């Protein structure tokens, strides 16, 4: 079972706990193939989806997962406002406590916001992305997708290419893949390469050709224009020329390479349309698997809470 | 730990059940076996094998995991969260006569969960229940149609079914000292 009643980041999980989530998710995939895609597991439980940042994919994925487990769900899209983030969060927590939810799924633009909530709130907290810090369920669904195709994670060469600096997906994925024994390569222009990355045992490079060569998995990350408050790249056209994933570059990888992207994609900026829709792409499978992985997380945390009573 | 059934008696009980199934259902048409994980699954496969030996026809066999349907999952602080395994029913259960198989029938709550789970897969014509051991102490109005062995027990006793496929040996053991959770 999971040791913590919250899922705040991959940093807190052991390899055994990661394997438990992935194994549980595998059992959950079968539910999506049924005529009635619903089980009564979380009947009577209330889950609040609290999204301070715009999100369609992750929020919808959590909502589908919650409904498939028969939880009562409430989605609150908190618009960006001029209120300082500390006050907003505390006010929201007070209101939430009055509703006594069992779990809160939270996305916030500030790194560490779910950790604060976990300290203040009695509910189990699931981090659905906090600032540039972590996005644990994305990393878990990525790992699940890789394991489905490669039957393992250990020993695989995984190249992560794109706007690494602003990416919480990168930080969660690097930790997870390292814990599970994968050989992680990170590729970005030096302006978008986080300084702390080599500390995580990652091979950092500015050459996409080196990163992709012999790779089992190529994970492309979005250029996050909305987080860039400076000139990180000269132009999107130049970025695509130097760092974009094209069919020519895919040929340098292993013949059974899989191409991943957490979405939303900037076609023609980080990835060529032909590659995104091509035979090696598992991008839509990632979306499908996201529901199963989130069902697994909800199930495992809900049981934990009962035992803590 | 006293053994109440050995491998021979278990094999004979399963063969007898196969004969009873054929007699009651007049053959195997529209029949399908569904074993409840964990030990109901190999038992279902053995019964399918026995039916084929007698009647020379394959009966489709599936595996049902009821963890997500348990009514005690979120209520009691008993042990670690049960591990969820795959349900594999590779055929339509619509209009089939389903033979649901489990190792031990006790309170009936497992069977209730299994009925809920099965009905989510379609609308079978009927569901019949097969258990290797009926140890009594029902908490719900559930009765088995085919029983390998009726075994009166006290609440302090525990019944352990051991199967070659999982435990490396066949047998049913009755433990007098343990209190079942």
């Amino acid at each position: 079972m999971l040791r913590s009643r919250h899922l705040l980041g991959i940093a807190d999980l052991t390899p055994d706990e990661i394997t438990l989530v992935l194994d549980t998710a595998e059992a959950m995939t079968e539910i999506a193939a049924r005529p009635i895609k619903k089980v009564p597991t979380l009947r009577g439980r209330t889950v609040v989806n609290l999204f301070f940042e715009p999100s369609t994919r992750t929020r919808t994925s959590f909502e589908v997962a919650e409904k498939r487990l028969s939880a009562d769900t409430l989605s609150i899209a908190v618009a960006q406002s001029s209120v300082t983030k500390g006050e907003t969060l505390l006010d929201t927590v007070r209101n939430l406590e009055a509703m006594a939810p069992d779990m809160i799924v939270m996305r916030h633009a500030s790194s560490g916001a779910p950790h604060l909530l976990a300290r203040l709130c009695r509910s189990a907290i699931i981090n659905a992305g906090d600032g540039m810090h972590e996005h644990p369920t994305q990393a878990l669904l990525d790992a699940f997708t890789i394991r489905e195709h490669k039957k393992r994670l250990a020993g695989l060469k995984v190249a992560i290419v794109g706007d690494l600096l602003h990416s919480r997906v990168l930080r969660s994925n690097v930790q997870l893949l390292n814990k599970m024994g994968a050989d992680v390569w990170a590729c970005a222009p030096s302006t978008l390469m986080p300084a702390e990355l080599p500390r995580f045992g990652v091979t950092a490079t500015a050459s996409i050709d080196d990163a992709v060569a012999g790779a089992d998995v190529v994970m492309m990350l979005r250029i996050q224009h909305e987080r860039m408050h400076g000139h990180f790249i000269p132009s999107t056209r130049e970025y695509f020329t130097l760092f974009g994933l094209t069919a020519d570059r895919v040929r340098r990888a292993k013949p059974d390479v899989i191409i991943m992207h957490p979405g939303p994609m900037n076609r023609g900026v980080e990835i060529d349309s032909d590659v995104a829709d091509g035979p090696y792409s598992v991008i839509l499978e990632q979306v499908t698997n996201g529901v199963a992985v989130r069902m697994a997380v909800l199930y495992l945390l809900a049981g934990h809470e009962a035992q803590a009573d | 730990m006293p053994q109440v059934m050995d491998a021979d008696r278990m094999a004979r009980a399963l063969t007898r059940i196969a004969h009873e199934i054929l007699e009651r259902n007049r053959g195997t048409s529209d029949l399908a076996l569904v074993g409840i994980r964990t030990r109901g699954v190999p038992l279902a496969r053995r019964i399918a094998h026995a039916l084929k030996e007698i009647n020379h026809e394959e009966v489709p066999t599936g595996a049902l995991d009821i963890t997500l349907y348990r009514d005690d999952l979120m209520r009691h602080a008993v042990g670690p969260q049960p591990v969820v395994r795959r349900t594999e029913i590779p055929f339509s259960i619509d209009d089939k006569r389903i033979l649901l198989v489990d190792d031990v029938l006790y309170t009936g709550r497992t069977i209730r969960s299994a009925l809920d789970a099965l009905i989510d897969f379609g609308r079978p014509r009927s569901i019949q229940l097969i258990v290797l051991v009926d140890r009594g102490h029902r908490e719900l109005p559930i009765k088995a149609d085919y029983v390998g062995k009726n075994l009166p027990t006290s609440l302090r006793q525990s019944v352990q079914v051991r199967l070659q496929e999982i435990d490396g040996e066949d047998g049913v053991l009755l433990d007098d000292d343990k209190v079942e959770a």
Side-chain angles (χ1 to χ4, degrees):
Chain A
M1 61 180 292
L2 300 181
R3 289 167 307 151
S4 170
R5 51 192 286 264
H6 309 291
L7 177 65
L8 300 177
I10 296 296
D12 307 325
L13 297 180
T14 64
D16 282 350
E17 288 177 311
I18 292 166
T19 304
L20 174 65
V21 174
L22 302 186
D23 289 347
T24 307
E26 207 169 307
M28 297 292 184
T29 55
E30 169 266 319
I31 294 164
R34 296 182 185 186
I36 298 172
K37 298 172 180 49
K38 207 172 175 74
V39 291
T41 317
L42 294 187
R43 206 167 50 190
R45 296 278 167 144
T46 306
V47 185
V48 173
N49 300 306
L50 185 61
F51 279 68
F52 286 86
E53 259 192 346
S55 160
T56 307
R57 203 174 312 254
T58 305
R59 202 195 66 226
T60 311
S61 181
F62 267 109
E63 281 179 16
V64 172
E66 290 150 10
K67 287 181 200 310
R68 288 200 176 154
L69 292 172
S70 301
D72 295 321
T73 67
L74 190 66
S75 289
I76 305 171
V78 187
Q80 295 280 27
S81 72
S82 58
V83 184
T84 62
K85 63 196 174 199
E87 283 170 351
T88 306
L89 197 52
L90 290 172
D91 282 347
T92 310
V93 167
R94 286 192 197 103
N95 283 299
L96 281 175
E97 284 286 273
M99 289 185 252
D102 297 287
M103 285 189 259
I104 299 173
V105 178
M106 187 205 204
R107 166 166 291 189
H108 202 282
S110 298
S111 304
H115 301 70
L116 175 66
L117 204 63
R119 284 202 298 277
L120 296 171
C121 223
R122 289 196 320 211
S123 317
I125 308 296
I126 300 175
N127 181 2
D130 62 327
M132 299 192 297
H133 179 225
E134 280 233 41
H135 193 350
T137 56
Q138 179 69 45
L140 287 162
L141 79 88
D142 289 341
F144 181 85
T145 308
I146 297 170
R147 204 179 73 160
E148 228 184 4
H149 281 268
K150 307 290 179 190
K151 311 297 174 211
R152 66 194 164 99
L153 294 167
L156 296 177
K157 179 178 178 183
V158 182
I160 307 178
V161 185
D163 179 356
L164 308 183
L165 185 67
H166 300 99
S167 178
R168 54 196 171 210
V169 175
L170 169 88
R171 285 169 178 84
S172 283
N173 259 303
V174 161
Q175 293 186 75
L176 188 153
L177 292 165
N178 265 340
K179 285 182 187 200
M180 303 309 279
D183 174 22
V184 186
W185 286 56
C187 173
S190 55
T191 48
L192 293 174
M193 179 72 79
E196 79 273 15
L197 211 52
R199 271 199 290 122
F200 288 104
V202 172
T203 310
T205 175
S207 160
I208 186 170
D209 290 335
D210 288 351
V212 170
D216 298 281
V217 178
V218 178
M219 197 180 284
M220 301 306 294
L221 299 180
R222 186 170 64 91
I223 289 289
Q224 300 191 40
H225 294 289
E226 74 278 13
R227 291 187 203 274
M228 290 186 184
H229 305 295
H231 300 286
F232 289 90
I233 53 173
S235 72
T236 52
R237 183 180 292 187
E238 185 178 319
Y239 179 82
F240 181 69
T241 308
L242 293 173
F243 293 94
L245 189 65
T246 59
D248 274 348
R249 284 181 169 142
V250 171
R251 278 186 215 106
R252 301 175 67 87
K254 290 239 177 86
D256 61 346
V257 66
I258 57 170
I259 310 293
M260 307 178 77
H261 196 304
M265 285 183 284
N266 293 316
R267 289 170 183 264
V269 177
E270 66 259 0
I271 189 164
D272 197 54
S273 243
D274 289 347
V275 176
D277 304 326
Y280 305 107
S281 168
V282 296
I283 294 167
L284 289 176
E285 281 176 49
Q286 287 173 266
V287 179
T288 305
N289 293 339
V291 175
V293 166
R294 287 169 178 128
M295 285 172 78
V297 168
L298 289 161
Y299 166 76
L300 291 167
L301 293 183
H304 203 291
E305 192 185 358
Q307 285 159 34
D309 286 343
Chain B
M1 207 183 296
Q3 191 175 55
V4 291
M5 238 178 162
D6 60 15
D8 281 348
R9 288 186 68 184
M10 193 185 283
R12 279 201 297 279
L14 293 175
T15 307
R16 172 174 53 76
I17 287 172
H19 281 286
E20 287 174 14
I21 290 167
L22 290 170
E23 193 178 327
R24 183 195 283 215
N25 295 282
R26 299 189 182 89
T28 56
S29 72
D30 299 330
L31 284 186
L33 284 151
V34 174
I36 300 174
R37 286 194 191 278
T38 308
R39 286 177 178 74
V41 177
L43 287 173
R45 293 206 182 101
R46 289 193 200 185
I47 293 167
H49 182 74
L51 287 169
K52 196 182 175 197
E53 292 273 295
I54 304 163
N55 203 47
H56 309 292
E57 276 180 24
E58 295 274 0
V59 177
T61 305
L64 186 68
D65 186 276
I66 57 144
T67 311
L68 297 171
Y69 288 81
R70 284 174 52 160
D71 60 3
D72 60 341
L73 204 61
M74 305 299 164
R75 293 177 68 88
H76 303 301
V78 180
Q81 182 86 326
V83 175
V84 187
R85 298 196 168 82
R86 282 183 88 90
T87 287
E88 289 162 306
I89 302 181
F91 49 83
S92 165
I93 68 163
D94 286 345
D95 296 321
K96 287 265 191 335
R97 288 177 291 177
I98 300 294
L99 300 161
L100 187 63
V101 186
D102 203 2
D103 54 351
V104 179
L105 179 56
Y106 182 29
T107 61
R109 290 178 190 273
T110 299
I111 304 303
R112 186 208 69 88
S113 301
L115 293 174
D116 281 352
L118 259 184
I119 283 162
D120 275 357
F121 281 88
R123 190 177 188 280
R125 193 196 307 171
S126 64
I127 300 175
Q128 300 166 37
L129 177 60
I130 303 169
V131 294
L132 182 65
V133 176
D134 183 349
R135 62 165 294 189
H137 306 292
R138 216 75 79 239
E139 292 171 6
L140 297 173
I142 283 168
K143 184 174 176 295
D145 298 278
Y146 311 91
V147 178
K149 182 175 178 58
N150 280 297
L151 184 64
T153 57
S154 82
L155 285 169
R156 291 189 58 82
Q157 292 172 313
S158 77
V159 176
Q160 286 183 27
V161 172
R162 303 178 75 82
L163 297 176
Q164 188 75 41
E165 296 89 331
I166 295 164
D167 313 294
E169 58 175 356
D170 281 348
V172 177
L173 308 173
L174 186 65
D175 188 349
D176 280 321
D177 300 324
K178 283 189 182 168
V179 180
E180 266 201 7

